[in-house]
């Protein structure tokens, strides 16, 4: 048969290689091996069991859990687990030729990295929620999977149930991401929300978060900013095509924030959030994680409690917000199972390896913190005597930093006694100011000069200001 003005139509084309592979499977189930069965792993098993019929329809074949690797065979597990599939030997997953998809939810770099590499080398699709591993070795693992033409999927690594990886990989594939501004740690967001809403101290809000299960017994990874930094590095791979060393990401946490900082922020029209910020500057990128003042009317200001949000700025599409629960067994499990479905569907359709195809991830320079330009919130605890305000303004002015707003209020919120027990010294008051845009190196230079002044009672509280 021939179309008018065109080539003949082939009504019986030769089978495509992908359809050949699909036919060879003959509708056989996709076999899954699970490395780890903790909180997230249990949620994965529950969703696979509860939604088995629906998932089989979406994948085109049944999804079957063949092996689950655990440390303790006797520990109580979720009801959805068939205890007959338990093993303590991960080789029974990564080396079993019948297993098609390896799901890693054990966490950490060791032995997770070696097991994932081994699974990839054996031609298996891999799903992981391991943000630490991806932050350290993501580009190398993606390159390995691409070379072997298998899928490496990791939606659950950032933002729990928020589909941010898919959004960057697929929805923004035709645009260029210029900026990422995100609340990526639910523990920090909960603590800051409670401090703002109730006037609680950091320590009191942290204890409350721990009692509710929102914070670990050792909360350092969360409250010191490292968890958010790992997630930002993963986002930077997709948003900016950047391979980043974690040492290049300026990271600070929320321990230094006091109740007074929330009150002053509110007085100036801001709220305090712990943000992960990335910008594509062309010749370099900007990556930083720290407490930040943002306007109370901004979209991120009202993301409260344990919720997470990622605000993307595309060159063509403009702003786009992805928002939801950023942690927990079922939110993260939803992302992991969605990845399992995608990888299974690719295998069943004979097109494995599509998830990472076309990604270009290269080392990119990170702009030094001293070169960034921002507005700043500065809170000084100083002696209440004539001339202090002028000397603060003078030191900032000498460094080229202009003041936008300034207030003085006393006594200081901390009630710090005079240093050295010198009763003759004047009581301390808070001097709080907002600067105009300034290069951070100039601000730091001014603060170094002010730190030598005898009237300063405490280290300065510095927070950057963003307007997402």
């Amino acid at each position: 048969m021939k179309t008018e003005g065109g080539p003949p139509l082939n009504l019986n084309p030769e089978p495509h290689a992908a359809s050949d592979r699909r036919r060879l499977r003959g509708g056989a189930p996709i076999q899954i091996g699970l490395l780890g069965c903790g909180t997230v792993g249990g949620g994965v098993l529950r969703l696979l069991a509860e939604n088995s019929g629906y998932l089989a329809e979406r994948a085109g074949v049944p999804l079957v859990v063949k092996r689950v690797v655990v440390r303790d065979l006797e520990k109580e597990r979720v009801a959805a687990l068939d205890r007959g599939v338990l093993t303590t030997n991960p080789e029974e997953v990564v080396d079993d030729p019948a297993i098609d998809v390896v799901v890693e939810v054990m966490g950490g770099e060791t032995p997770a990295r070696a097991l994932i590499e081994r699974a990839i080398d054996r031609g298996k699709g891999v799903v992981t929620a391991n943000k630490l591993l991806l932050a350290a070795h993501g580009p190398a693992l993606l390159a390995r999977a691409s070379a072997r033409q298998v899928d490496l999927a990791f939606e659950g690594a950032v933002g729990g149930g928020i589909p941010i990886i898919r959004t960057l990989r697929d929805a923004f594939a035709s645009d260029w991401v210029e900026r990422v501004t995100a609340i990526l740690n639910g523990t920090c967001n909960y603590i800051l929300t409670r401090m703002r809403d109730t006037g609680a101290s950091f320590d009191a809000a942290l204890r409350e978060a721990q009692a509710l299960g929102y914070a670990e017994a050792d909360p350092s990874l969360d409250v010191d900013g490292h968890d958010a930094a790992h997630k930002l590095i993963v986002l930077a791979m997709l948003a900016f095509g950047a391979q980043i060393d974690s040492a290049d990401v300026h990271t600070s946490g929320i321990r230094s924030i006091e109740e007074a900082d929330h009150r002053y922020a509110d007085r100036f029209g801001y709220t305090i959030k712990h943000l992960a910020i990335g910008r594509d500057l062309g010749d370099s990128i900007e990556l930083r994680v720290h407490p930040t003042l943002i306007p109370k009317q901004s979209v991120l200001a009202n993301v409260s409690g344990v919720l997470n949000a990622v605000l993307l700025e595309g060159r063509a599409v403009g702003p786009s917000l992805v928002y939801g629960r950023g942690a927990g067994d079922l939110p993260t499990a939803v992302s992991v199972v969605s990845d399992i479905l995608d990888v299974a569907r690719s295998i069943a359709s004979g097109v494995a390896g599509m998830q990472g195809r076309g990604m270009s991830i290269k080392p990119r320079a990170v702009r030094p913190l001293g070169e960034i330009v921002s507005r700043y919130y500065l809170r000084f605890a100083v002696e209440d005597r004539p001339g202090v305000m002028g000397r603060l303004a003078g030191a900032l002015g000498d460094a080229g930093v202009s003041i936008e707003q300034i207030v003085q209020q006393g006594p200081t919120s901390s009630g710090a006694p005079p240093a050295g027990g010198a009763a003759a010294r004047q009581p301390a008051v808070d001097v709080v100011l907002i600067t105009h845009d300034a290069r951070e190196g100039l601000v730091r230079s001014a603060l170094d000069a002010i730190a030598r002044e005898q009237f300063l009672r405490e280290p300065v509280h510095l927070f950057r200001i963003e307007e997402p």
Side-chain angles (χ1 to χ4, degrees), residues 8 25 53 82-83 137 230 239 286 293 301 333 344 350 427 441 443 461:
R25 287 193 62 86
D82 173 5
R83 301 191 73 88
H137 306 289
H230 294 151
E286 195 174 289
L293 271 67
V443 175
H461 287 244

Side-chain angles (χ1 to χ4, degrees), residues 13 15 28 42 69 72 110 114 178 185 239 270 281 306 312 333 348 361 363 398 409 414 463 468:
V69 177
D72 182 359
T110 304
E178 296 184 323
N185 186 271
Y270 297 99
L281 305 172
V306 294
L312 302 174
I361 302 174
D398 290 343
Q409 183 170 322
S414 65
F463 303 112

Side-chain angles (χ1 to χ4, degrees), residues 409-429:
Q409 183 170 322
T412 58
S413 57
S414 65
R425 296 178 66 186
Q426 296 297 316
V429 296

Side-chain angles (χ1 to χ4, degrees), residues 120-206:
I120 290 171
D121 291 344
R122 281 155 178 72
K124 302 179 188 300
V126 173
V127 174
T128 180
N130 194 329
K131 56 186 172 289
L132 173 62
L133 179 64
L134 290 165
H137 306 289
L141 291 173
L142 283 167
R144 196 181 196 113
S146 179
R148 191 62 180 79
Q149 295 186 358
V150 297
D151 289 305
L152 173 62
F154 47 93
E155 184 68 69
V158 180
I162 301 174
I164 185 58
I165 301 299
R166 281 177 177 78
T167 299
L168 285 169
R169 186 190 63 213
D170 300 330
F172 273 75
S174 60
D175 201 356
W176 191 268
V177 179
E178 296 184 323
R179 178 173 173 173
V180 176
T181 310
I183 296 169
L184 294 177
N185 186 271
T187 301
C188 285
N189 203 39
Y190 179 84
I191 291 171
L192 292 177
T193 299
R194 296 300 292 167
M195 291 178 71
R196 179 195 66 193
D197 292 349
T198 69
S201 66
F202 167 81
D203 289 336
L206 172 59

Side-chain angles (χ1 to χ4, degrees), residues 387-395:
V388 169
M389 194 87 76
R391 288 165 73 176
L392 288 174

Side-chain angles (χ1 to χ4, degrees), residues 6-30:
L9 285 175
N10 184 359
L11 298 181
N12 297 288
E14 291 297 317
H16 186 272
S19 59
D20 278 345
R21 287 193 292 271
R22 182 168 59 249
R23 187 174 64 251
L24 288 172
R25 287 193 62 86
I30 295 292

Side-chain angles (χ1 to χ4, degrees), residues 21 26 82 97 105 118 125 156 193 211 218 224 227 232 265 271 288 297 303 337 346 363 379 391 395 397 445 457:
R21 287 193 292 271
D82 173 5
V105 286
R118 194 159 159 177
T193 299
D218 179 2
D224 292 334
D227 174 79
L232 179 60
T271 191
R288 44 195 170 96
Q297 70 273 19
V303 177
V337 174
S346 295
R379 177 164 68 88
R391 288 165 73 176
S445 176
R457 292 287 185 81

